[in-house]
């Protein structure tokens, strides 16, 4: 064992593994004829990296006229399409059967996600969102940097808009709806959401044109929602992976719906590990129920505020909320001759935070975990409940004027501990206990790095002192490879943190890294 002595082996467990019987790197081209947008007749099947090709594993067990129409080797899944005449029972039977096969980690419907906005009558007037988050004060320090990239995974973006063209380079992005390298909207009158979001985050400031976006960051467009404003889990997950692989520092997800899916969870986890901060909209149902993907622990979940600073009546809320930002009647870029328009939603609040993140990264070099903590440490308490505002309203001036580690939180210092060991087969698991360095850390990040030819998973318990198991845990990172991460905000330090490393398949050495931030 190497590393900090706060790690202790709780037990060397010989457990039966949870395995049953069993620019576009990693994303293969969809089968010709695959329809854009929602794909309600598809099932996504996740396959362990230890098995090699996901397509080969799944194709051996396809029923009837079902076929594999898409493969993502990086995220380790395939999409299986059932014919239109097939019953729901047929796909449910397939899900039940395929999950009992060797190397198959999950099977789930290719859920549909929607752009999270609420339209209202056209309103024209002065912007208020940049002023509410003190972006105008931050601009005295920096307007942002083209070296920082914000990826907008959404509808297509009108990248030749006069307030956006300067923020796009030669590579405008990728269209995952139509599978081509031009993410421009198909129908400008209908497909405005991505353009509006992009303008909030990074509409060009100080250019004598239209509005001022929060930051002058570079933009990438990952078109994953159709002109109807909806898209499939697979298209969105592929776009997230693509954005991370193409150097996005921030990935904006102003979308939601479809509930928890392993495919989307693995995508946001992958992006975080690649160095992208994923910022996501809480949802517009006006209830205590933060939508996915915002509810994943890897994402920064954003609630929406009215111009007076109160929680918008449409905004979802709950313990997963990290930050609040203005989302009602936000003026931004439009796709028609109107050029600018106000609309409302947590979709609009989310790129405000993405833009502030871009400003902060123009000043300081930070990892996604550090940036997330920095934005929360420098947020302003506006008197709402924690479930409504999280750490508070994001504040651009504080974010660029405050050195990371010295924010408005409890200090911002961090400590890191590591432990190295190995697993010999799919029947092996190690459990570790970790003694806290800080009495009240604001965040703990648990990282697992294992062999590339195996599939190791990570499980964490807090507050119980008991080793987690593959069936009983507080947090799980369960991707199709051996690179895993769990992020816990405001962890329970009443007992040691317990960590289980489990071999789903394969053997080899691994490293667990735990980072506490005050």
């Amino acid at each position: 064992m190497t590393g900090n002595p706060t790690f202790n082996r709780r037990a060397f467990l010989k457990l039966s593994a949870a395995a049953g019987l069993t620019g576009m790197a990693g994303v293969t081209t969809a089968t010709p004829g695959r329809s854009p947008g929602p794909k309600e007749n598809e099932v996504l099947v996740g396959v362990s990296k230890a098995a090699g090709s996901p397509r080969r594993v799944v194709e051996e067990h396809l029923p009837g006229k079902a076929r594999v129409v898409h493969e993502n080797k990086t995220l380790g899944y395939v999409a299986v399409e059932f014919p239109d005449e097939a019953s729901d029972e047929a796909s449910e039977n397939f899900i039940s059967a395929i999950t009992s096969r060797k190397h198959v980690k999950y099977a789930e419907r290719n859920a549909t996600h929607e752009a999270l906005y609420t339209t209202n009558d056209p309103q024209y007037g002065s912007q208020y969102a940049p002023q509410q988050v003190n972006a105008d004060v931050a601009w005295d320090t920096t307007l942002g940097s083209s070296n920082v990239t914000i990826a907008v995974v959404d509808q297509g973006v009108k990248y030749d808009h006069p307030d956006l063209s300067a923020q796009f380079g030669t590579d405008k992005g990728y269209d995952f709806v139509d599978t081509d390298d031009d993410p421009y909207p198909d129908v400008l009158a209908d497909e405005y959401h991505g353009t509006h979001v992009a303008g909030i985050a990074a509409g060009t400031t100080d250019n004598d044109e239209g509005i001022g976006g929060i930051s002058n960051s570079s933009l990438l467009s990952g078109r994953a929602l159709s002109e109807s404003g909806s898209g499939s889990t697979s298209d969105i997950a592929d776009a997230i992976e693509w954005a991370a692989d193409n150097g996005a520092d921030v990935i904006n997800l102003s979308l939601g719906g479809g509930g928890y899916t392993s495919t989307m969870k693995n995508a946001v986890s992958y992006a975080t590990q690649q160095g992208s901060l994923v910022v996501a909209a809480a949802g517009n149902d006006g209830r205590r129920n933060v939508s996915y993907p915002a509810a994943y622990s890897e994402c920064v979940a954003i609630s929406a505020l009215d111009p007076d600073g109160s929680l918008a009546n449409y905004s979802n809320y709950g313990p997963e909320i990290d930050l609040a930002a203005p989302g009602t009647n936000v003026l931004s870029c439009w796709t028609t001759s109107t050029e600018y328009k106000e609309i409302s939603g947590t979709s609009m609040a989310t790129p405000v935070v993405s833009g502030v993140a871009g400003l902060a990264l123009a000043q300081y070099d930070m990892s996604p975990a550090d940036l997330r903590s920095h934005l929360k440490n420098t947020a302003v308490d506006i008197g709402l409940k924690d479930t409504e505002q999280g750490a508070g309203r994001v504040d651009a001036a504080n974010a660029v004027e405050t050195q990371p580690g010295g924010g408005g939180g409890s200090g911002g210092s961090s400590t890191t501990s590591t432990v190295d060991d190995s697993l010999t087969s799919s029947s092996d698991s190690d459990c570790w206990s970790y003694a806290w360095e800080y009495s009240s850390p604001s965040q703990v990040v648990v990282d697992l790095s294992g062999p590339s030819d195996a599939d190791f998973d990570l499980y964490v318990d807090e507050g119980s002192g008991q080793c987690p198991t593959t069936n009983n845990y507080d947090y799980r990172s369960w991707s199709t490879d051996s690179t895993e991460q769990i992020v816990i905000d405001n962890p329970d330090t009443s007992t040691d943190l317990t960590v289980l490393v489990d071999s789903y398949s394969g053997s080899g050495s691994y490293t667990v890294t735990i980072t506490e931030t005050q």
Side-chain angles (χ1 to χ4, degrees), residues 328-353:
T328 301
N329 296 343
V330 178
L331 183 66
S332 186
C333 301
W334 207 248
T335 52
T336 64
S337 58
T338 304
E339 289 195 340
Y340 303 95
K341 191 173 180 179
E342 294 177 358
I343 58 175
S344 303
T346 53
S347 274
M348 286 58 256
T350 302
V352 172
V353 175

Side-chain angles (χ1 to χ4, degrees), residues 141-469:
T141 301
T142 180
L143 292 174
S145 170
S146 60
N147 293 325
V148 176
T149 299
I150 298 174
V152 176
V153 174
D154 207 293
Q155 289 181 325
V157 175
K158 186 181 180 183
Y159 47 73
D160 57 358
H161 188 287
D163 244 337
L164 295 175
S165 58
Q167 308 311 112
F168 281 92
T170 303
D171 182 6
K172 305 298 191 290
Y174 193 84
D175 186 340
F176 291 85
V177 179
D178 295 332
T179 60
D180 60 51
D181 58 5
D182 185 2
Y184 204 78
D186 279 0
V187 182
L188 288 173
D190 297 333
E191 196 170 342
Y192 47 79
H193 188 265
T195 299
H196 198 271
V197 166
I200 295 169
T204 312
T205 301
D206 199 31
N207 67 337
D208 293 322
E209 183 74 50
I211 62 155
I214 300 295
S215 69
N216 278 356
S217 300
S218 294
L219 286 167
L220 276 176
S221 171
R223 185 173 183 255
L225 303 182
S226 68
E227 55 270 20
S228 69
S230 59
S232 66
T233 295
S234 57
D235 286 346
I236 297 165
D238 289 354
I240 293 168
E241 179 222 324
W242 163 86
D245 288 345
N246 281 274
D249 300 289
V250 180
I251 300 176
N252 190 96
L253 301 179
S254 290
L255 48 83
Y260 181 101
T261 73
S262 293
T263 305
M264 190 76 78
K265 164 78 171 176
N266 291 343
V268 297
S269 180
Y270 175 84
T272 303
Q273 293 161 7
Q274 294 298 110
S276 303
L277 182 73
V278 185
V279 186
N284 295 341
D285 303 308
R287 56 194 175 99
R288 186 185 174 94
N289 182 29
V290 174
S291 297
Y292 289 100
Y296 296 124
S297 61
E298 293 87 351
C299 295
V300 183
I302 310 303
S303 61
L305 303 175
D306 283 337
D308 64 2
S310 61
L311 185 73
N313 62 7
Y314 55 79
S315 179
N316 286 4
Y317 57 95
E320 299 88 354
I321 294 296
D322 291 294
L323 292 163
T328 301
N329 296 343
V330 178
L331 183 66
S332 186
C333 301
W334 207 248
T335 52
T336 64
S337 58
T338 304
E339 289 195 340
Y340 303 95
K341 191 173 180 179
E342 294 177 358
I343 58 175
S344 303
T346 53
S347 274
M348 286 58 256
T350 302
V352 172
V353 175
S354 294
V356 173
L359 289 175
L361 287 174
Q363 286 294 101
Y364 311 109
D365 183 14
M366 291 177 279
S367 69
D370 289 341
L371 177 57
R372 177 183 185 141
S373 294
H374 183 64
L375 294 176
K376 295 175 73 170
N377 286 339
T378 57
V380 176
D381 184 347
I382 54 175
L384 300 178
K385 298 176 181 177
D386 291 348
T387 55
E388 297 174 340
Q389 67 170 4
R393 186 193 64 219
V394 68
D395 191 281
N398 289 344
V400 303
E401 294 172 359
T402 306
Q403 285 283 340
S410 55
S413 58
S414 63
T415 181
T416 298
S417 302
T418 63
V419 64
D420 300 305
D421 214 302
S422 62
L423 299 176
T424 60
S425 71
S426 60
S427 62
D428 281 352
S429 293
D430 287 350
C431 188
W432 301 93
S433 66
Y434 173 79
W436 298 98
E437 295 285 343
Y438 301 136
S439 59
S440 298
S442 63
Q443 184 185 82
V444 62
V445 180
V446 185
D447 286 293
L448 170 64
S449 177
S452 60
D453 59 351
D455 184 358
F456 291 0
D457 297 322
L458 184 66
Y459 302 81
V460 171
D461 260 18
E462 59 168 340
S464 72
Q466 302 297 312
C467 287
T469 71

Side-chain angles (χ1 to χ4, degrees), residues 48-52 450-456 481-482 505-509:
S48 173
K49 290 291 178 67
S452 60
D453 59 351
D455 184 358
F456 291 0
D481 59 21
S482 299
S505 181
S507 62
S509 300

Side-chain angles (χ1 to χ4, degrees), residues 1 3-8 417-418 433 435 437:
M1 182 181 70
N4 190 294
T6 53
F7 266 111
N8 291 289
S417 302
T418 63
S433 66
E437 295 285 343

